[in-house]
């Protein structure tokens, strides 16, 4: 039988008021559900804008932290408040310096992990290196490497938006919620494009046809597909596979003779579908190098389209993209705020922004409360 040290009576006979209290005045462990905090993995104004919009919708304050680069370019993160036992959401928008942004995310996740955070959820609307998700030439699948690095740093969940390829979700060893921007872009088409009923949805290439078809079916519009390229794509560039082998002394079997494959030749750009006298709306997930979009707009203009819009989720708009758009036949480029692009908007008034902070904030709330995410995917097609 166990006895209390106060009066050597069995503990079952000691009243609650007589039982010795635990340290700091607690009589039992705190078993209530922990809170949550939202941090930004970047301290620059452009990158914290989306984080502030999300926290305003959630009704919470942005977590106190400092992220900066030391004089030797090393990344340092200082978390200024306790995160023990809480769900932590790290919002990281990817500016032009992609590799620095990745290090900021990794270092902050590891800092929170070692500070005993309960769960660490990364909110990464644009997932970097998502284009490098397939083996090409003698390269590597960098996207899978990044997924492994994030897991090792301590992330337990990721919220992202419109992955370049949906199969990227299989690279992760933890849950991934791949949200869609299509409801916001479709709403923009219906509300901001006059006479959108006279529009036609255009896929810039056959690989983008499924996404464009999904938009066309929900808007009850026609579909056109562009085929061919003005220049050879990266996959057709010389990669050394035809280089002569090193001189070796071979004995015995000389090897098999494989059938000679005909070289692939890209035809000039053609449009499958009638765009004459219509508004052409090009649908894609990323607009980065705009040369292909500018060339597509010129072809559509030649085919009789009188207005040309480009709708994309992630507006990277690298290099001199804003200038090329301003000088092209494109009437408007509509992107979401998954990537900071305020500087590009100053250079090109044709660039418009759609806010997606609402769905990101709702995803954070539902994940913390353990609610179903199905509501965020209602009426969302697989091909979006």
């Amino acid at each position: 039988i166990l006895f209390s040290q106060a009066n050597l009576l069995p503990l079952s006979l000691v009243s609650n008021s007589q039982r010795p209290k635990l340290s700091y005045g607690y009589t039992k462990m705190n078993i209530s559900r922990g809170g949550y905090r939202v941090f930004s993995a970047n301290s620059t104004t452009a990158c914290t804008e989306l984080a502030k919009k999300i926290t305003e919708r959630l009704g919470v304050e942005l977590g106190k932290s400092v992220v900066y680069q030391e004089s030797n370019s090393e990344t340092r993160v200082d978390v200024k408040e306790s995160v023990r036992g809480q769900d932590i959401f790290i919002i990281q928008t990817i500016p032009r310096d992609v590799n620095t942004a990745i290090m900021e995310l990794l270092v902050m996740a590891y800092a929170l992990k070692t500070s005993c955070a309960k769960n660490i959820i990364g909110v990464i609307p644009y997932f970097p290196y998502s284009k490098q998700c397939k083996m090409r030439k003698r390269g590597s699948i960098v996207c899978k490497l990044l997924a492994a690095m994030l897991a090792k740093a301590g992330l337990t969940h990721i919220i992202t938006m419109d992955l370049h390829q949906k199969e990227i979700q299989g690279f992760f060893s933890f849950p991934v919620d791949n949200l869609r921007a299509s409801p916001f872009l479709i709403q923009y088409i219906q509300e901001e494009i006059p006479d959108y009923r006279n529009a036609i949805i255009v896929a810039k290439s056959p690989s983008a046809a499924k996404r464009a078809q999904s938009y066309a079916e929900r808007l009850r519009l026609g579909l056109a597909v562009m085929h061919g390229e003005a220049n050879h794509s990266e996959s057709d560039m010389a990669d050394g596979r035809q280089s002569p082998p090193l001189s070796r002394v071979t004995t015995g079997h000389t090897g098999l003779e494989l059938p000679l494959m005909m070289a692939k030749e890209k035809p000039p750009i053609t449009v499958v579908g009638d765009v004459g006298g219509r508004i052409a709306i090009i649908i894609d997930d990323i607009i980065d190098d705009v040369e292909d979009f500018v060339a597509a707009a010129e072809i559509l203009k030649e085919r009789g389209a009188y207005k040309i819009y480009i709708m994309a989720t992630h507006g990277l708009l690298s290099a001199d993209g804003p200038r090329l758009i301003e000088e092209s036949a494109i009437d408007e480029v509509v992107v979401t705020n998954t990537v900071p692009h305020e500087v590009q908007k100053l250079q090109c008034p044709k660039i418009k922004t759609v806010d997606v902070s609402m769905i990101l904030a709702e995803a954070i709330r539902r994940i913390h409360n353990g609610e179903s995410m199905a509501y965020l995917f209602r009426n969302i097609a697989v091909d979006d």
Side-chain angles (χ1 to χ4, degrees):
I1 301 175
L2 296 176
F3 294 89
S4 67
Q5 296 179 355
N7 50 14
L8 298 181
L9 291 175
L11 286 178
S12 60
L13 302 178
V14 180
S15 63
N16 290 335
S17 60
Q18 293 177 330
R19 288 186 182 179
K21 293 183 178 180
L22 300 178
S23 61
Y24 303 104
Y26 291 104
T27 57
K28 62 179 180 179
M29 294 181 64
N30 181 16
I31 59 174
S32 62
R33 186 179 182 87
Y36 73 98
R37 292 284 188 276
V38 180
F39 288 88
S40 174
N42 195 302
S43 296
T44 62
T45 304
C47 294
T48 56
E49 182 181 356
L50 179 61
K52 290 178 180 177
K53 288 183 178 180
I54 292 174
T55 52
E56 286 175 1
R57 292 184 180 276
L58 290 170
V60 300
E61 292 185 359
L62 192 62
K64 297 178 177 62
S65 64
V66 178
V67 184
Y68 60 96
Q69 311 300 319
E70 293 186 339
S71 56
N72 60 357
S73 298
E74 290 184 358
T75 300
R76 183 174 291 272
V77 174
D78 290 330
V79 181
K80 300 295 185 180
E81 56 185 289
S82 175
V83 297
R84 185 178 295 271
Q86 297 183 344
D87 291 337
I88 306 300
F89 295 86
I90 309 175
I91 300 174
Q92 179 64 311
T93 52
I94 307 298
R96 293 196 175 189
D97 193 352
V98 178
N99 295 329
T100 299
I102 291 172
M103 279 305 301
E104 290 171 345
L105 180 61
L106 293 172
V107 174
M108 175 165 276
Y110 192 65
L112 295 168
K113 177 183 178 181
T114 53
S115 298
C116 299
K118 182 181 177 182
N119 294 304
I120 304 172
I121 300 97
V123 183
I124 316 171
Y126 168 66
F127 194 79
Y129 286 97
S130 58
K131 285 187 176 182
Q132 298 189 44
C133 61
K134 297 180 180 179
M135 178 64 75
R136 291 186 177 182
K137 308 173 186 176
R138 296 184 181 90
S140 62
I141 305 176
V142 184
C143 194
K144 184 178 181 182
L145 170 64
L146 181 55
M149 292 167 63
L150 293 174
K152 189 68 175 178
L155 287 177
T156 59
H157 197 144
I158 275 186
I159 303 172
T160 186
M161 180 169 284
D162 282 343
L163 287 171
H164 186 58
Q165 297 289 337
K166 297 175 183 62
E167 293 78 8
I168 293 175
Q169 290 178 265
F171 294 163
F172 295 86
S173 57
F174 49 76
V176 177
D177 285 311
N178 181 28
L179 304 178
R180 306 292 199 274
S182 56
F184 298 92
L185 297 177
I186 288 175
Q187 184 181 22
Y188 184 93
I189 293 173
Q190 294 173 326
E191 296 179 356
E192 301 296 332
I193 298 182
D195 194 22
Y196 83 93
R197 291 292 183 187
N198 189 37
I200 185 169
I201 303 298
V202 180
K204 184 172 64 68
S205 63
S207 60
K210 285 187 176 181
R211 185 187 302 270
Q213 181 183 2
S214 177
Y215 277 69
E217 289 175 352
R218 278 188 285 174
L219 289 166
R220 280 44 171 192
L221 298 176
L223 176 67
V225 180
M226 305 188 71
H227 176 58
E229 292 180 348
N231 300 315
H232 290 289
S233 65
E234 180 185 359
S235 58
D236 295 324
M237 295 172 62
D239 60 359
R241 294 179 184 176
Q242 304 297 327
S243 57
L246 298 175
S247 58
R248 296 178 181 175
V249 178
T250 58
T251 58
H253 200 277
T254 58
L256 299 175
E257 291 187 6
L258 298 177
L260 181 63
M261 297 295 294
M262 293 183 62
K264 204 165 56 169
E265 183 177 349
K266 294 285 184 181
I269 297 178
T270 56
V271 181
V272 181
D274 183 16
V275 298
R278 313 283 286 277
I279 301 172
I281 305 176
I282 302 177
I283 301 295
D284 215 331
D285 61 329
I286 300 173
I287 174 169
D288 189 1
D289 297 325
V290 302
E291 287 86 354
D292 291 343
F293 291 92
V294 171
E298 293 177 355
I299 296 295
L300 293 173
K301 210 73 171 177
E302 292 175 2
R303 297 293 191 276
Y306 68 91
K307 272 194 176 181
I308 298 169
Y309 290 80
I310 296 176
M311 315 289 292
T313 304
H314 310 295
L316 303 184
L317 302 168
S318 300
D320 55 350
R323 180 184 61 81
L324 295 176
I325 292 173
E326 186 66 23
E327 298 173 355
S328 69
I330 300 171
D331 291 281
E332 198 168 279
V333 174
V334 182
V335 295
T336 70
N337 57 343
T338 56
V339 178
H341 55 269
E342 294 304 319
V343 175
Q344 290 89 328
K345 288 180 69 173
L346 294 175
Q347 299 172 357
C348 177
K350 293 181 179 180
I351 301 173
K352 307 297 180 182
T353 306
V354 175
D355 183 22
V356 293
S357 62
M358 178 190 302
I359 192 171
L360 294 172
E362 181 64 14
I364 290 174
R365 190 193 66 80
R366 287 177 174 270
I367 288 174
H368 172 66
N369 293 332
E371 300 178 18
S372 172
M373 298 286 285
Y375 175 78
L376 303 181
F377 293 93
R378 69 193 192 284
N379 298 328
I380 296 295
V382 176
D383 297 325
D384 275 9

